Structure formats: C-alpha cells, structure tokens
Amino acid sequence: MRPRVVLAGASGYGRSYLRQLVDLDAAGRLRFVGVCEVNPLDDEGRRLVGARPVDTELGRLLAATGADIGIVATPIPTHVPLAHQVLDAGAHLLLEKPPTMTLGDWNRLVTRVGEAGVACQIGFQSLGSQAFTRLASLIRDGELGIVTGIGVRGRWRRPDDYYRRASWAGRRELGDGALANPFAHGIATALELDGSTGVLDVPSIELELFRARDINADDTSCLRLRTARGTTVVIAVTLCAEDEEEPVLIVHGTAGRAELHYTLNRLVRPGRTEDFGCVSPLENLLAHLADPAVPLQSPVQRCGGFTRVLEAIRTAPDPLPIGAENVRRRGEYVDVVGVDAVVGRAAEELRTFSELEAPWVTGLLKDVTEYGWDKVSLPQVVPRPALHPVRTLHGTVVTAEHPEDHRWHRGIGLALPDVNGVNLWGGPTYRRGLGYVEGELGQVREIEPDVVEWCDAAGQGLLRERRRIEVRPHTGGWELVWHSVLSAETDVVLNSPGSNGRPGAGYGGWFWRLPTLDPELVEVFTPDFYGEEQVNGARAEWLAVVVHDPDAPWTAVLSGPDDPWFVRVGQYQGVGSALAWERPRVVHAGEQLDITVRMVLLDGVHRRA
C-alpha cells in the first residue's frame, strides 16, 4: 500500500519537496494527500498542489488525511512544534535540517520518536550521495590510511535579496547563520564520516564567527572541533566569496587524500574523478519503511554531535564585524577581500582564520592593546616594557598604569620584586622580620625588540628574557598569549614577600594590574575555588575574573602557569602567577625558566559554566 504523505511548508526550500512529491505520486510510489501552508501559494505552487487540500493547521490536516508520513520543511523555529504534531498523529517524520535549535529540544525529540515507535529522518541530502557512501568505504577499508583530519571549504555568494527572503534570514536567534544553515551539511557529513555522531563524540569546539553584512548571524566563519576519536575537523565557510565554488570536504589520510564535492555527488582522488547518483532523504525513508533492513541515511538519533555543535554556535557571543577595509561591494553582493584563499588554506591546513592571520582578523585586533615602555619617570619605579592600555573589543580598558596605591604597577607584564636581593619592580622591598623597607632598585634594558635584560643597580645582567606576545581572536572576544623564557646569566635566587615571610603575598612573575574597581563588582573563581581568600595561592587549570560593571561588564579567563595564582580584589585588583610563593626559587647559570600565560578577554558577564 502506498503511504499517504503530507507536506508542511511548500515555499522556499519546501518547494523542492513539493516537486518531488508530485513526481513520486505520479510514479506510484506514494500518495501525496495534502499541504500545510500559512502563506498563499504562487502560481507554480497552486499548479503542483492541484486539488489536494491545503490547510494552515498541520494537526488538522494530518487527522483529516490519515497521513502515514509528515514532512516538515518550514522555517527553523517551527521545526520542533510541527515535528511533535506529526509524532502525535502517529506518523513517520521527515524533518528538514537542522532538526532543532537547541540540544534540549533534540533530546526531547529523540525521546518522543522512541516512544512513538516511528521513523524520523533528517533532511541531510549529502548523506544520501553515493559519492559519500564510496568515500566512507574507502575510509573504512583503510585505503586512505589513518584519517588525520577532515576539512571543509565553503565559498558561496549570496545577494541582498537572500537576507530579505524570510523574516528569519540573517537572524541567529532564529537559527540562521552560515554554519548553522547553508553549510550545515558540511558539519553533519564530516561527523558522519568520522563516526562521531553522538553528543559526547564532540568534546572540543572552537569557533571564529564573523559577519561582513549588517546582520546578527555569521556569514564568514571557521569552526574547529576535535572528536573523541582524535580527529581534527575544520569547517571554513563564507557567504561573501570573491568567486563562488560548490562546497568541498577533504579527508586527509596518512596514505592519501580524497575530496567529496557533496552537492555535486562527486569524489575526487589524485588522478581520478568519479560522479555518482544520490538517493534523496524521502526516497530513503520510503525504502526503509518498505524494508526495515534498509537503514535510514540520517536518523534523528545520529544527529547528537551535529546538534552539540549547533548548540555551541547558538550560545556563542555575537559574530564580530569585519572592517570596511576588508569588504568590497559588487552590485547586490558583498565580498570579503582575500576570503577565498583563507577558506581554502583553513580546510587544507586544518587551521583557523586567526592562526592563518586573515586580514579581517588582524585588522579587528589592531587596537586592543599597546606595548611599550613607561612614558613617565617616577620615583620608586623600575621602568620596563609592558602592555597598556589593554581593551576589550568594545573598548573597555582593563589595565591600570601607575595607580596611586602602587605607582610601580603597570598594565600586563613581568614583575620581579626580588632577584638576588635586587628589586626589579619598584616600591619597597619586603624583608623577613623587617617588613617593607627601602631596597636596591635594579634596571631593565632592551637588547633586541623581543629580548629584555634584567640587571642590578650597576647594570650587571642577572636574567635575560626572550618574550613573545601574541594576540588572536577568540569567540566573543580575543586571546592574549604571553610567553617569556628567562635565562639566568648567573646563579639567581628569586624571592617574594611570601618566601620572605609574609603569608599570602607570594607575588612575582607574570602580573596584571586591573583598573581600580569597586571590589563588590569583581568576582574571581577557578574550577574548585571561589573568591579572593580561596583563589589566592591556589593552583588551578584556569582562573576567571568577572567584572559586573553595569555600564561595561567584562570577563577574563586565564590559564597556563603551573605556579600558584596570586589574586587581590579587596585592597586593589590584580592577578599574577607566583614564581616563589612560599619558598625561594633558585635558577642556576645557564638554566631557563618558562612562563606562559593565556588570557581570553570577553565583553559581558560569563558564568562559571
């Protein structure tokens, strides 16, 4: 008996389902019995639907027609309620991608499908390509060797009308965006090839979301994830390409590589190109219902990894705008200058836009910080190079320079209060049994642009430092990486007030002086500790500082050093790594000391999760 099928959504992408239903009905493979559509049909739509009933209420249409299959090809925000109406009617479900906007909705849908005992197919057409099937068999049979990574490059161009075609277009809160919608097939196909379809199969997700247009969804983005199997997957896409190309998925193997042109059903290997056919999600669903031994191409149960990625995209901070200097308008189109080459490299090299130093990334970060020497000469201050001011992407300054309470504090840099008894920071020196006293101030000099020498008062070198400072984008903000390698020019002993007898004051190392803030607005925590009293002196994988300024809130997350964290919130606001927390640290001549700290700086308040 031919299954009775209704379609929800006969315009937009739903029109392709409408045409297919008419053809399959004419071929005797199903009975197309009705359409749910809230907008008037155009001439083609009316011709295709013919005398079949059209209703604005899907539940009513399902009941009236006794449908066996319901197809939902409506705007993304309507997927969940309409899908449940199909399941409530006891019908099998074909749901266009993405199935849901949230991971919670996906979990509930999977549970409901299991309770209903029906089939639920998701409309990932790429998974029905016989080119995909052939590539999967090459991987499974080891013909490409060990898969080391999967890259996807997507370069499409979309005109202005693309963002006027529907009320949800270009709106990330309604599920749209380059990664989440037009290039969702690239994500799903890569995860399916890797066998990483479960929620727990995608433990690591990095996002770099950008927009060239005046929308709040991403149109030029890079996603890197690492699966539980150890595979690195990079999806680099744009809807603002200079020259359009159909998407390409690249499998990198130790014994070779293969390219899947999934919209063209084409598989390309060195010296060999093969074109294949494709079985649509609807045809596959019909075959499965006729013979359950035929597996579904994309059952909803295997969309966990994909939905986990979508959840990360949905909850990420808003995409960052691409500067006008990197955008070119050509008629109805907007191009990102240089994007085609960067997208291609990202998929080939499995690197992100920031790692490739894409021009729209480096341009975005040109004003976030300044590096240099003190611009004033003050008593009790040892001049040294540091970062100040440091700003969030929205321009909030998060560093202080020579504040009244501690004139020797300055921005972000190295602070060494006691090297062989010499104060290389400034201010008084803490001595056991004496407290803070006047001590010998040393000097710092620059040998090369990235080499600093720390000397005693007579100019004799104690430590030579080679430093590297990197600035790169991070989802919703940017990341600072400070890397210093200190080489001892003679035997040195590093001390701090803590190692000299002052409890809880083991500062000395990497140091960040925050602006003077109301302590009530500052929150500090690690994975296991909360508040200044607990965090100060703790060793933790990361430390977060959240500033609840009602006018300009921001968050910083620090990681990297193996040493204890030094934290002040009440007396003043500062964070550092402690090289000599409770006991001196000895570095013999020729030995090196490595200090690496990463800081992610975000606008807005971000919670512990």
Side-chain angles (χ1 to χ4, degrees):
M1 189 173 92
R2 294 187 297 165
R4 294 160 294 182
V5 184
V6 300
L7 171 65
S11 302
Y13 189 77
R15 182 58 52 89
S16 63
Y17 280 107
L18 178 57
R19 298 182 186 119
Q20 187 181 19
L21 285 167
V22 171
D23 291 343
L24 290 173
D25 192 332
R29 297 186 59 187
L30 55 76
R31 290 176 58 199
F32 176 28
V33 295
V35 169
C36 175
E37 179 58 68
V38 297
N39 297 312
L41 293 169
D42 59 14
D43 291 343
E44 183 196 30
R46 288 193 297 271
R47 178 179 61 78
L48 290 170
V49 173
R52 297 177 180 90
V54 178
D55 202 324
T56 58
E57 296 289 338
L58 179 58
R60 187 166 58 201
L61 179 66
L62 288 163
T65 58
D68 303 298
I69 299 173
I71 301 175
V72 175
T74 54
I76 297 169
T78 66
H79 282 189
V80 169
L82 294 182
H84 282 276
Q85 289 184 38
V86 173
L87 298 176
D88 289 343
H92 302 286
L93 173 63
L94 171 50
L95 179 60
E96 188 47 38
K97 59 82 188 164
T100 66
M101 290 177 57
T102 72
L103 197 55
D105 282 340
W106 174 80
N107 279 314
R108 285 184 284 273
L109 181 61
V110 169
T111 299
R112 186 69 187 88
V113 167
E115 292 171 346
V118 298
C120 178
Q121 173 96 298
I122 306 303
F124 285 115
Q125 297 90 345
S126 58
L127 302 184
S129 170
Q130 291 164 348
F132 164 82
T133 304
R134 174 61 176 148
L135 177 56
S137 70
L138 292 175
I139 295 172
R140 186 173 56 252
D141 295 341
E143 293 194 35
L144 301 179
I146 299 172
V147 174
T148 56
I150 300 174
V152 176
R153 68 175 187 260
R155 302 192 327 234
W156 276 337
R157 305 181 74 221
R158 292 295 181 258
D160 296 339
D161 281 348
Y162 178 82
Y163 295 97
R164 294 193 288 259
R165 74 193 193 281
S167 60
W168 50 267
R171 297 176 61 182
R172 71 192 306 255
E173 74 275 15
L174 297 181
D176 199 21
L179 284 171
N181 193 10
F183 292 108
H185 287 88
I187 302 172
T189 307
L191 290 173
E192 186 71 35
L193 281 172
D194 192 59
S196 298
T197 58
V199 174
L200 299 181
D201 293 336
V202 189
S204 172
I205 300 173
E206 300 171 70
L207 288 165
E208 294 184 1
L209 307 179
F210 296 90
R211 57 174 181 83
R213 289 182 174 270
D214 186 18
I215 56 178
N216 70 0
D218 61 297
D219 59 31
T220 301
S221 294
C222 186
L223 157 70
R224 179 165 61 192
L225 56 90
R226 290 180 175 85
T227 70
R229 297 166 59 91
T231 307
T232 298
V233 179
V234 170
I235 318 283
V237 301
T238 184
L239 297 175
C240 303
E242 297 166 300
D243 293 300
E244 191 164 63
E245 176 196 42
E246 287 301 295
V248 179
L249 181 150
I250 306 163
V251 176
H252 302 272
T254 56
R257 58 174 275 148
E259 293 185 356
L260 173 64
H261 300 242
Y262 58 80
T263 61
L264 303 176
N265 303 311
R266 179 173 297 159
L267 184 63
V268 179
R269 287 181 283 166
R272 185 175 185 181
T273 298
E274 300 174 276
D275 290 314
F276 295 85
C278 184
V279 178
S280 74
L282 177 55
E283 291 174 303
N284 173 246
L285 175 60
L286 293 173
H288 172 75
L289 295 179
D291 179 5
V294 176
L296 288 177
Q297 295 166 352
S298 183
V300 68
Q301 295 87 346
R302 283 216 310 268
C303 292
F306 171 80
T307 309
R308 166 73 181 89
V309 174
L310 245 60
E311 181 87 343
I313 296 170
R314 180 183 67 84
T315 58
D318 288 341
L320 302 173
I322 295 175
E325 69 276 10
N326 293 302
V327 175
R328 175 179 57 209
R329 176 166 279 280
R330 288 193 283 175
E332 289 287 297
Y333 295 89
V334 168
D335 302 347
V336 173
V337 179
V339 71
D340 291 6
V342 174
V343 163
R345 287 185 62 197
E348 288 289 348
E349 301 174 27
L350 303 177
R351 294 201 288 167
T352 63
F353 291 163
S354 59
E355 291 172 343
L356 295 170
E357 297 184 343
W360 60 90
V361 175
T362 56
L364 181 72
L365 299 177
K366 65 181 182 295
D367 294 325
V368 294
T369 189
E370 298 173 28
Y371 177 77
W373 291 74
D374 304 59
K375 296 182 176 63
V376 296
S377 179
L378 297 172
Q380 282 197 313
V381 172
V382 178
R384 61 196 182 279
L387 293 168
H388 176 79
V390 177
R391 307 175 183 89
T392 69
L393 286 183
H394 290 175
T396 303
V397 175
V398 302
T399 52
E401 182 178 48
H402 306 308
E404 289 294 332
D405 52 57
H406 293 77
R407 301 304 296 270
W408 51 95
H409 288 183
R410 180 170 183 263
I412 292 176
L414 281 198
L416 301 176
D418 188 333
V419 181
N420 285 359
V422 179
N423 186 330
L424 287 162
W425 191 2
T429 303
Y430 193 89
R431 297 292 183 224
R432 187 179 296 273
L434 299 175
Y436 283 101
V437 298
E438 294 297 322
E440 176 188 353
L441 296 182
Q443 55 183 288
V444 181
R445 60 190 179 206
E446 190 172 63
I447 307 300
E448 299 174 27
D450 59 350
V451 178
V452 173
E453 190 171 38
W454 301 76
C455 308
D456 62 20
Q460 182 66 41
L462 300 171
L463 293 164
R464 182 165 292 206
E465 175 200 356
R466 182 172 294 277
R467 63 176 54 172
R468 186 178 75 249
I469 300 170
E470 300 176 34
V471 172
R472 59 181 65 143
H474 189 281
T475 305
W478 63 278
E479 181 182 30
L480 166 71
V481 181
W482 182 290
H483 183 213
S484 290
V485 177
L486 291 166
S487 300
E489 297 185 80
T490 183
D491 289 352
V492 297
V493 179
L494 305 179
N495 266 300
S496 71
S499 65
N500 279 325
R502 185 186 173 200
Y507 53 80
W510 183 88
F511 185 76
W512 165 31
R513 174 58 199 255
L514 282 69
T516 301
L517 301 164
D518 180 348
E520 295 296 320
L521 300 178
V522 182
E523 187 180 16
V524 293
F525 53 86
T526 71
D528 302 310
F529 302 105
Y530 186 88
E532 176 183 354
E533 184 175 345
Q534 292 184 14
V535 174
N536 186 46
R539 296 177 186 268
E541 180 182 358
W542 56 262
L543 180 152
V545 178
V546 182
V547 175
H548 297 264
D549 186 325
D551 298 319
W554 54 271
T555 300
V557 183
L558 297 90
S559 62
D562 295 326
D563 303 304
W565 292 104
F566 169 76
V567 176
R568 286 287 185 265
V569 174
Q571 180 185 0
Y572 64 88
Q573 291 78 49
V575 177
S577 64
L579 295 175
W581 179 254
E582 289 181 320
R583 59 181 60 89
R585 189 158 188 167
V586 178
V587 185
H588 296 290
E591 291 183 346
Q592 293 184 336
L593 189 62
D594 190 303
I595 302 172
T596 300
V597 179
R598 298 174 182 269
M599 181 171 80
V600 175
L601 194 57
L602 309 165
D603 285 289
V605 170
H606 295 259
R607 301 297 179 187
R608 183 184 294 251

PDB file of all heavy atoms in Angstrom, residues 11 26 162 172 179 194 207 216 298 327 329 406 417 494-495 513 529 538 571:
ATOM      1  N   SER A  11       6.772  26.486   0.269  1.00  0.00           N
ATOM      2  CA  SER A  11       7.529  27.575  -0.341  1.00  0.00           C
ATOM      3  C   SER A  11       8.983  27.461   0.106  1.00  0.00           C
ATOM      4  O   SER A  11       9.333  26.602   0.915  1.00  0.00           O
ATOM      5  CB  SER A  11       6.947  28.927   0.072  1.00  0.00           C
ATOM      6  OG  SER A  11       5.584  29.019  -0.303  1.00  0.00           O
ATOM      7  N   ALA A  26       3.065  10.503  -9.034  1.00  0.00           N
ATOM      8  CA  ALA A  26       2.802  10.099 -10.419  1.00  0.00           C
ATOM      9  C   ALA A  26       3.456   8.761 -10.745  1.00  0.00           C
ATOM     10  O   ALA A  26       2.952   7.987 -11.570  1.00  0.00           O
ATOM     11  CB  ALA A  26       3.307  11.181 -11.376  1.00  0.00           C
ATOM     12  N   TYR A 162      18.809  37.591  -0.558  1.00  0.00           N
ATOM     13  CA  TYR A 162      18.901  36.388   0.271  1.00  0.00           C
ATOM     14  C   TYR A 162      18.507  36.693   1.710  1.00  0.00           C
ATOM     15  O   TYR A 162      17.904  35.857   2.388  1.00  0.00           O
ATOM     16  CB  TYR A 162      20.329  35.852   0.200  1.00  0.00           C
ATOM     17  CG  TYR A 162      20.597  34.624   1.037  1.00  0.00           C
ATOM     18  CD1 TYR A 162      20.258  33.351   0.580  1.00  0.00           C
ATOM     19  CD2 TYR A 162      21.228  34.728   2.274  1.00  0.00           C
ATOM     20  CE1 TYR A 162      20.524  32.227   1.338  1.00  0.00           C
ATOM     21  CE2 TYR A 162      21.504  33.604   3.038  1.00  0.00           C
ATOM     22  CZ  TYR A 162      21.146  32.356   2.570  1.00  0.00           C
ATOM     23  OH  TYR A 162      21.403  31.239   3.322  1.00  0.00           O
ATOM     24  N   ARG A 172      20.466  35.133  13.949  1.00  0.00           N
ATOM     25  CA  ARG A 172      20.998  33.954  14.636  1.00  0.00           C
ATOM     26  C   ARG A 172      20.066  33.468  15.732  1.00  0.00           C
ATOM     27  O   ARG A 172      20.036  32.266  16.045  1.00  0.00           O
ATOM     28  CB  ARG A 172      22.393  34.237  15.191  1.00  0.00           C
ATOM     29  CG  ARG A 172      22.446  35.186  16.373  1.00  0.00           C
ATOM     30  CD  ARG A 172      23.884  35.611  16.655  1.00  0.00           C
ATOM     31  NE  ARG A 172      24.773  34.486  16.835  1.00  0.00           N
ATOM     32  CZ  ARG A 172      25.241  34.078  18.011  1.00  0.00           C
ATOM     33  NH1 ARG A 172      24.884  34.716  19.116  1.00  0.00           N
ATOM     34  NH2 ARG A 172      26.053  33.057  18.110  1.00  0.00           N
ATOM     35  N   LEU A 179      27.193  28.747   9.208  1.00  0.00           N
ATOM     36  CA  LEU A 179      27.498  27.412   9.699  1.00  0.00           C
ATOM     37  C   LEU A 179      26.240  26.618  10.028  1.00  0.00           C
ATOM     38  O   LEU A 179      26.148  25.433   9.718  1.00  0.00           O
ATOM     39  CB  LEU A 179      28.387  27.503  10.942  1.00  0.00           C
ATOM     40  CG  LEU A 179      29.870  27.826  10.724  1.00  0.00           C
ATOM     41  CD1 LEU A 179      30.555  28.095  12.056  1.00  0.00           C
ATOM     42  CD2 LEU A 179      30.575  26.690   9.989  1.00  0.00           C
ATOM     43  N   ASP A 194      33.435  10.531  10.250  1.00  0.00           N
ATOM     44  CA  ASP A 194      34.330  10.210  11.368  1.00  0.00           C
ATOM     45  C   ASP A 194      33.689   9.243  12.353  1.00  0.00           C
ATOM     46  O   ASP A 194      34.356   8.760  13.267  1.00  0.00           O
ATOM     47  CB  ASP A 194      34.726  11.496  12.100  1.00  0.00           C
ATOM     48  CG  ASP A 194      35.867  11.277  13.084  1.00  0.00           C
ATOM     49  OD1 ASP A 194      36.949  10.844  12.630  1.00  0.00           O
ATOM     50  OD2 ASP A 194      35.679  11.526  14.285  1.00  0.00           O
ATOM     51  N   LEU A 207      35.295  28.232  17.836  1.00  0.00           N
ATOM     52  CA  LEU A 207      34.509  28.996  16.869  1.00  0.00           C
ATOM     53  C   LEU A 207      35.136  30.353  16.618  1.00  0.00           C
ATOM     54  O   LEU A 207      35.584  31.022  17.551  1.00  0.00           O
ATOM     55  CB  LEU A 207      33.075  29.202  17.381  1.00  0.00           C
ATOM     56  CG  LEU A 207      32.161  27.983  17.386  1.00  0.00           C
ATOM     57  CD1 LEU A 207      30.934  28.262  18.236  1.00  0.00           C
ATOM     58  CD2 LEU A 207      31.765  27.612  15.970  1.00  0.00           C
ATOM     59  N   ASN A 216      22.927  39.918  12.320  1.00  0.00           N
ATOM     60  CA  ASN A 216      23.479  39.444  13.593  1.00  0.00           C
ATOM     61  C   ASN A 216      23.850  37.968  13.544  1.00  0.00           C
ATOM     62  O   ASN A 216      24.205  37.375  14.556  1.00  0.00           O
ATOM     63  CB  ASN A 216      22.535  39.732  14.764  1.00  0.00           C
ATOM     64  CG  ASN A 216      21.270  38.886  14.733  1.00  0.00           C
ATOM     65  OD1 ASN A 216      21.074  38.060  13.837  1.00  0.00           O
ATOM     66  ND2 ASN A 216      20.407  39.090  15.704  1.00  0.00           N
ATOM     67  N   SER A 298      19.953   9.310   7.673  1.00  0.00           N
ATOM     68  CA  SER A 298      20.221  10.286   8.731  1.00  0.00           C
ATOM     69  C   SER A 298      19.131  10.264   9.785  1.00  0.00           C
ATOM     70  O   SER A 298      18.330  11.196   9.897  1.00  0.00           O
ATOM     71  CB  SER A 298      20.351  11.685   8.128  1.00  0.00           C
ATOM     72  OG  SER A 298      20.677  12.625   9.129  1.00  0.00           O
ATOM     73  N   VAL A 327      36.103  44.680   3.116  1.00  0.00           N
ATOM     74  CA  VAL A 327      34.821  44.360   2.488  1.00  0.00           C
ATOM     75  C   VAL A 327      34.697  45.145   1.189  1.00  0.00           C
ATOM     76  O   VAL A 327      35.066  46.322   1.121  1.00  0.00           O
ATOM     77  CB  VAL A 327      33.644  44.696   3.429  1.00  0.00           C
ATOM     78  CG1 VAL A 327      32.314  44.468   2.733  1.00  0.00           C
ATOM     79  CG2 VAL A 327      33.724  43.845   4.699  1.00  0.00           C
ATOM     80  N   ARG A 329      31.885  45.821  -2.076  1.00  0.00           N
ATOM     81  CA  ARG A 329      30.542  45.609  -2.631  1.00  0.00           C
ATOM     82  C   ARG A 329      30.619  45.553  -4.149  1.00  0.00           C
ATOM     83  O   ARG A 329      31.221  46.402  -4.788  1.00  0.00           O
ATOM     84  CB  ARG A 329      29.575  46.704  -2.179  1.00  0.00           C
ATOM     85  CG  ARG A 329      28.193  46.559  -2.830  1.00  0.00           C
ATOM     86  CD  ARG A 329      27.138  47.403  -2.174  1.00  0.00           C
ATOM     87  NE  ARG A 329      26.595  46.789  -0.962  1.00  0.00           N
ATOM     88  CZ  ARG A 329      25.678  45.829  -0.954  1.00  0.00           C
ATOM     89  NH1 ARG A 329      25.214  45.335  -2.088  1.00  0.00           N
ATOM     90  NH2 ARG A 329      25.231  45.350   0.182  1.00  0.00           N
ATOM     91  N   HIS A 406      49.759  51.932  44.138  1.00  0.00           N
ATOM     92  CA  HIS A 406      51.019  51.232  43.861  1.00  0.00           C
ATOM     93  C   HIS A 406      51.569  51.818  42.556  1.00  0.00           C
ATOM     94  O   HIS A 406      51.299  51.303  41.481  1.00  0.00           O
ATOM     95  CB  HIS A 406      50.809  49.714  43.698  1.00  0.00           C
ATOM     96  CG  HIS A 406      50.386  49.009  44.937  1.00  0.00           C
ATOM     97  ND1 HIS A 406      49.093  49.048  45.430  1.00  0.00           N
ATOM     98  CD2 HIS A 406      51.089  48.214  45.811  1.00  0.00           C
ATOM     99  CE1 HIS A 406      49.024  48.321  46.527  1.00  0.00           C
ATOM    100  NE2 HIS A 406      50.219  47.808  46.781  1.00  0.00           N
ATOM    101  N   PRO A 417      59.998  41.158  41.989  1.00  0.00           N
ATOM    102  CA  PRO A 417      60.262  42.022  43.150  1.00  0.00           C
ATOM    103  C   PRO A 417      61.576  41.758  43.862  1.00  0.00           C
ATOM    104  O   PRO A 417      62.035  42.605  44.624  1.00  0.00           O
ATOM    105  CB  PRO A 417      59.077  41.720  44.074  1.00  0.00           C
ATOM    106  CG  PRO A 417      58.664  40.334  43.718  1.00  0.00           C
ATOM    107  CD  PRO A 417      58.932  40.174  42.256  1.00  0.00           C
ATOM    108  N   LEU A 494      65.218  33.780  43.193  1.00  0.00           N
ATOM    109  CA  LEU A 494      64.004  34.585  43.100  1.00  0.00           C
ATOM    110  C   LEU A 494      63.257  34.495  44.419  1.00  0.00           C
ATOM    111  O   LEU A 494      63.020  33.402  44.935  1.00  0.00           O
ATOM    112  CB  LEU A 494      63.106  34.075  41.962  1.00  0.00           C
ATOM    113  CG  LEU A 494      63.736  33.978  40.564  1.00  0.00           C
ATOM    114  CD1 LEU A 494      62.719  33.440  39.574  1.00  0.00           C
ATOM    115  CD2 LEU A 494      64.268  35.326  40.114  1.00  0.00           C
ATOM    116  N   ASN A 495      62.901  35.655  44.970  1.00  0.00           N
ATOM    117  CA  ASN A 495      62.140  35.709  46.204  1.00  0.00           C
ATOM    118  C   ASN A 495      60.903  36.567  46.006  1.00  0.00           C
ATOM    119  O   ASN A 495      60.748  37.270  44.999  1.00  0.00           O
ATOM    120  CB  ASN A 495      62.983  36.282  47.343  1.00  0.00           C
ATOM    121  CG  ASN A 495      63.664  35.187  48.151  1.00  0.00           C
ATOM    122  OD1 ASN A 495      62.997  34.330  48.723  1.00  0.00           O
ATOM    123  ND2 ASN A 495      65.001  35.205  48.188  1.00  0.00           N
ATOM    124  N   ARG A 513      47.782  44.265  36.375  1.00  0.00           N
ATOM    125  CA  ARG A 513      47.138  45.229  37.256  1.00  0.00           C
ATOM    126  C   ARG A 513      45.861  45.731  36.599  1.00  0.00           C
ATOM    127  O   ARG A 513      45.871  46.334  35.530  1.00  0.00           O
ATOM    128  CB  ARG A 513      48.059  46.410  37.554  1.00  0.00           C
ATOM    129  CG  ARG A 513      47.374  47.533  38.350  1.00  0.00           C
ATOM    130  CD  ARG A 513      46.809  47.020  39.688  1.00  0.00           C
ATOM    131  NE  ARG A 513      45.813  47.927  40.220  1.00  0.00           N
ATOM    132  CZ  ARG A 513      46.031  48.745  41.252  1.00  0.00           C
ATOM    133  NH1 ARG A 513      47.216  48.754  41.844  1.00  0.00           N
ATOM    134  NH2 ARG A 513      45.070  49.527  41.709  1.00  0.00           N
ATOM    135  N   PHE A 529      37.605  26.712  43.339  1.00  0.00           N
ATOM    136  CA  PHE A 529      37.667  27.710  44.405  1.00  0.00           C
ATOM    137  C   PHE A 529      36.939  28.977  43.972  1.00  0.00           C
ATOM    138  O   PHE A 529      36.849  29.294  42.782  1.00  0.00           O
ATOM    139  CB  PHE A 529      39.125  28.036  44.746  1.00  0.00           C
ATOM    140  CG  PHE A 529      39.923  26.841  45.164  1.00  0.00           C
ATOM    141  CD1 PHE A 529      40.843  26.269  44.293  1.00  0.00           C
ATOM    142  CD2 PHE A 529      39.751  26.275  46.414  1.00  0.00           C
ATOM    143  CE1 PHE A 529      41.584  25.164  44.663  1.00  0.00           C
ATOM    144  CE2 PHE A 529      40.493  25.172  46.799  1.00  0.00           C
ATOM    145  CZ  PHE A 529      41.401  24.611  45.921  1.00  0.00           C
ATOM    146  N   ALA A 538      46.077  29.405  45.186  1.00  0.00           N
ATOM    147  CA  ALA A 538      45.619  28.113  44.677  1.00  0.00           C
ATOM    148  C   ALA A 538      46.292  27.798  43.337  1.00  0.00           C
ATOM    149  O   ALA A 538      46.609  28.687  42.553  1.00  0.00           O
ATOM    150  CB  ALA A 538      44.098  28.126  44.496  1.00  0.00           C
ATOM    151  N   GLN A 571      41.962  44.941  48.526  1.00  0.00           N
ATOM    152  CA  GLN A 571      42.894  46.057  48.685  1.00  0.00           C
ATOM    153  C   GLN A 571      43.073  46.818  47.375  1.00  0.00           C
ATOM    154  O   GLN A 571      43.112  48.039  47.322  1.00  0.00           O
ATOM    155  CB  GLN A 571      44.244  45.522  49.170  1.00  0.00           C
ATOM    156  CG  GLN A 571      45.300  46.600  49.380  1.00  0.00           C
ATOM    157  CD  GLN A 571      46.654  46.009  49.739  1.00  0.00           C
ATOM    158  OE1 GLN A 571      46.803  44.801  49.827  1.00  0.00           O
ATOM    159  NE2 GLN A 571      47.639  46.872  49.935  1.00  0.00           N
TER     160      GLN A 571
END
